[in-house]
């Protein structure tokens, strides 16, 4: 995997090759003066539980970690709150309408996408749903099912931040 600052050799503003690593998270173009900062993308994940305290896990339809267990959620769009992003993603992925997600904690994550290391900051929210909720998976989710948290095998989970979050919830 390649850090984005190593991979991005040309200035995205003027195309110059005089685009040098400037700090741990920036490159500076000596031709046009532009400084590019490489920041983590904001992302969300939902800890959805039913009345039995079971947790909803999804199976990933695409890479990275295709076929592995995951939590529903996704990236925050520009000019969107994390709460609104999560509500939108749950509609897209599970076709459910939720309100009032409760913020729990955040974890940094990185994964490989097209050979580039993608850095994210994943924000986890708790949502309680009715036991008879109708879920219809779509988008990047292959399937979804409620699990007894004690029986979830951490090694079946694809992404490191999600593994860490499930470990936190198990304790
Ligand atoms: Zn430039």
């Amino acid at each position: 995997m390649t850090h984005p600052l190593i991979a991005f050799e040309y200035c995205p503003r003027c195309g110059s090759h005089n685009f040098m690593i400037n700090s741990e998270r920036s490159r500076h173009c000596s031709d046009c003066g532009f400084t590019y900062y490489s920041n983590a993308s904001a992302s969300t994940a939902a800890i959805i539980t039913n009345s039995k305290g079971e947790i909803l896990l999804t199976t990933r339809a695409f890479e990275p970690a295709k076929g592995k267990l995951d939590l529903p959620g996704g990236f925050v769009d520009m000019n969107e709150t994390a709460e609104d992003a999560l509500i939108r993603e749950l509609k897209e992925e599970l076709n459910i309408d939720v309100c009032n997600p409760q913020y729990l904690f955040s974890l940094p994550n990185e994964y490989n996408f097209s050979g580039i290391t993608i850095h994210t900051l994943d924000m986890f929210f708790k949502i309680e749903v009715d036991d008879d909720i109708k879920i219809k998976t779509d988008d990047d989710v292959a399937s979804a099912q409620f699990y007894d948290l004690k029986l979830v095998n951490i090694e079946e989970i694809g992404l490191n931040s999600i593994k860490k979050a499930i470990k936190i919830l198990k304790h």
Side-chain angles (χ1 to χ4, degrees):
M1 289 200 286
T2 309
H3 190 283
L5 281 187
I6 305 293
F8 300 163
E9 295 177 52
Y10 294 89
C11 174
R13 184 164 182 251
C14 77
S16 168
H17 206 185
N18 296 320
F19 185 53
M20 301 304 168
I21 292 180
N22 190 41
S23 73
E24 199 176 296
R25 57 189 191 93
S26 70
R27 266 189 192 252
H28 180 74
C29 175
S30 58
D31 285 343
C32 77
F34 178 66
T35 303
Y36 167 75
Y37 288 91
S38 180
N39 295 310
S41 296
S43 192
T44 59
I47 313 287
I48 299 177
T49 55
N50 62 18
S51 72
K52 289 175 261 181
E54 294 171 328
I55 183 169
L56 188 80
L57 296 176
T58 58
T59 305
R60 297 178 62 83
F62 304 117
E63 297 294 350
K66 183 181 175 182
K68 291 286 206 171
L69 293 178
D70 198 7
L71 290 171
F75 287 107
V76 181
D77 286 342
M78 290 178 207
N79 302 316
E80 186 177 45
T81 67
E83 289 84 352
D84 286 345
L86 188 62
I87 289 166
R88 175 180 53 72
E89 289 283 348
L90 295 178
K91 185 70 181 174
E92 290 170 7
E93 294 182 344
L94 305 174
N95 197 31
I96 61 173
D97 294 295
V98 299
C99 55
N100 204 22
Q102 297 296 306
Y103 177 75
L104 295 176
F105 53 82
S106 65
L107 292 169
N109 195 32
E110 53 182 73
Y111 61 86
N112 183 21
F113 189 75
S114 305
I116 307 278
T117 308
I118 303 296
H119 295 262
T120 67
L121 179 64
D122 299 346
M123 289 168 274
F124 294 81
F125 291 85
K126 184 176 171 59
I127 296 167
E128 289 169 8
V129 295
D130 293 334
D131 290 352
D132 60 355
I133 190 162
K134 295 277 182 292
I135 290 167
K136 186 175 166 293
T137 59
D138 201 349
D139 202 26
D140 54 354
V141 173
S143 62
Q145 191 184 322
F146 280 98
Y147 291 80
D148 181 338
L149 193 56
K150 290 194 291 292
L151 302 179
V152 175
N153 178 0
I154 295 291
E155 295 314 311
E156 292 290 303
I157 297 167
L159 302 176
N160 284 330
S161 59
I162 308 296
K163 281 186 187 178
K164 276 186 201 157
I166 297 296
K167 277 185 197 164
I168 290 168
L169 295 170
K170 272 173 171 278
H171 289 123

